[in-house]
Amino acid sequence: MRLVGLTGGIASGKTSVAAVLKEHGVAILSCDAAAKQVVEQGCPGYNKVVAKFGTDILLPSGEIDRVKLGTEIVAVDIPLLYESCNINPFLHSIVVVYCTPDQQKTRLMDRNDFSEEEALARINSQLSLEEKKSKADHVVDNTGIFSETERQVAELVPKLKQGIVPLRNILLFAIVAFMGLMLWLF
């Protein structure tokens, strides 16, 4: 299993890119939800994993076959990946969704009905997309037409599928992400 961090600035198009990744068979794991999910039988995460990947990933005992599950990609959609906690050691690669600062501001104003000042305040509270780009393993340029973004994601998916990571790293990641989220919130 490849674990990929998906990030970008507010209103950069992360949700759109996550949707395209999902269309290409990449599982999307929300950081908020991951902190509460586990994959043992009887736990809420177990049912979600089985619903997403099907019963073919189960052993005769009903437990998740971690070897079969290990052939999948999971993109972890973390809006504040760089700002919130240091989880990079758990990720094989990081994908940053990029758009221009003007596009980011316009999208945020349109999406959230923010004034220009409100939008800029939110944007400026995060690392710049330029800085995130410089730290990324892969960049999806979301400045043009969406079909171009979709093409970039389609070309990216095979690159993301190279290599595996044990499922225990995902569970460890979920714990670290939850702790980071709690530290960030409080």
Side-chain angles (χ1 to χ4, degrees):
M1 180 178 295
R2 298 277 301 163
L3 193 57
V4 176
L6 176 63
T7 192
I10 191 169
S12 64
K14 293 179 302 300
T15 302
S16 298
V17 169
V20 177
L21 283 167
K22 189 173 182 178
E23 289 173 10
H24 285 274
V26 175
I28 303 298
L29 178 65
S30 166
C31 188
D32 292 337
K36 297 176 184 168
Q37 294 178 359
V38 293
V39 294
E40 295 179 15
Q41 278 181 289
C43 295
Y46 172 89
N47 295 331
K48 290 185 182 261
V49 169
V50 173
K52 172 64 185 165
F53 298 106
T55 56
D56 290 343
I57 63 157
L58 297 179
L59 297 167
S61 65
E63 293 178 62
I64 292 174
D65 184 336
R66 295 170 200 276
V67 174
K68 285 184 183 174
L69 186 61
T71 63
E72 303 294 333
I73 300 175
V74 175
V76 185
D77 182 356
I78 308 172
L80 299 174
L81 176 77
Y82 294 115
E83 295 90 339
S84 60
C85 58
N86 186 12
I87 60 166
N88 297 357
F90 300 101
L91 303 174
H92 278 93
S93 58
I94 295 176
V95 178
V96 168
V97 180
Y98 176 81
C99 67
T100 67
D102 282 340
Q103 287 174 315
Q104 190 179 16
K105 180 182 70 174
T106 301
R107 290 173 183 174
L108 185 56
M109 289 168 62
D110 291 346
R111 187 187 76 189
N112 291 33
D113 197 29
F114 282 170
S115 68
E116 183 174 4
E117 295 76 26
E118 291 170 317
L120 288 173
R122 289 284 179 99
I123 292 167
N124 292 332
S125 71
Q126 300 179 1
L127 289 177
S128 73
L129 285 175
E130 289 297 330
E131 189 170 351
K132 290 179 183 186
K133 258 176 60 173
S134 73
K135 296 179 179 189
D137 299 299
H138 308 280
V139 176
V140 174
D141 185 333
N142 195 25
T143 60
I145 58 174
F146 194 65
S147 60
E148 176 59 22
T149 301
E150 291 175 311
R151 183 195 61 75
Q152 291 175 63
V153 173
E155 290 177 1
L156 177 61
V157 169
K159 295 174 187 174
L160 299 177
K161 288 185 176 182
Q162 298 171 354
I164 61 169
V165 63
L167 187 59
R168 74 177 187 283
N169 285 10
I170 292 174
L171 296 176
L172 190 56
F173 164 77
I175 292 166
V176 169
F178 178 73
M179 290 169 48
L181 181 62
M182 290 299 103
L183 289 173
W184 182 72
L185 288 173
F186 301 103

